Amino acid sequence: MKSIREIFKNNPSLLDEPEVIQLIDYCEQLQDEIVEFKFQKTDNKELPMLDMIKEVIKGCNAVEKEQMEHERFGYPPPDYQETISNLKNYIYDRCRDEKIYL
């Protein structure tokens, strides 16, 4: 699933449009309902947890890529590197401890 930032990266000014804001809110509600539905359907927390962890890792990778692009084109990038690395390491360690394979 693409993030909102990915979808509007070529035209970020659209994020200020009322219809787009309304659509974003609706999508967030649907995402929450999907997670709840998966939990109810399987009565198992593992599948929704796996989905959430995958999304966090995907988001971390996107921010890392964005930072590399900033460095490549000479823009001062935000310094998220250490935070992202720590978060990814934590997730991978917990997954290994819990025997969850992504």
Side-chain angles (χ1 to χ4, degrees):
M1 184 181 304
K2 286 187 176 183
S3 71
I4 294 169
R5 178 178 283 173
E6 288 174 313
I7 294 171
F8 290 100
K9 72 178 178 182
N10 293 330
N11 200 348
S13 63
L14 289 175
L15 290 171
D16 297 330
E17 296 292 326
E19 292 85 2
V20 174
I21 293 171
Q22 191 176 16
L23 182 61
I24 291 170
D25 291 339
Y26 180 68
C27 288
E28 288 173 353
Q29 289 174 349
L30 287 178
Q31 287 175 344
D32 292 340
E33 288 179 18
I34 288 170
V35 170
E36 288 177 24
F37 178 71
K38 285 183 178 180
F39 176 70
Q40 291 173 355
K41 182 179 174 184
T42 62
D43 200 24
N44 183 350
K45 292 182 181 180
E46 186 174 328
L47 291 177
M49 184 64 111
L50 283 173
D51 287 343
M52 287 185 267
I53 290 172
K54 286 178 184 179
E55 288 298 320
V56 168
I57 291 189
K58 183 178 176 182
C60 291
N61 290 335
V63 172
E64 284 178 332
K65 180 181 177 185
E66 182 179 340
Q67 185 167 353
M68 287 188 301
E69 288 176 358
H70 278 260
E71 291 170 359
R72 178 179 173 202
F73 295 112
Y75 299 118
D79 188 18
Y80 297 126
Q81 189 63 38
E82 186 176 346
T83 304
I84 292 170
S85 296
N86 290 339
L87 180 60
K88 284 174 62 176
N89 289 337
Y90 169 75
I91 291 171
Y92 286 133
D93 289 344
R94 284 298 308 244
C95 287
R96 186 182 63 241
D97 293 343
E98 301 295 330
K99 296 181 181 166
I100 297 173
Y101 303 102
L102 302 177

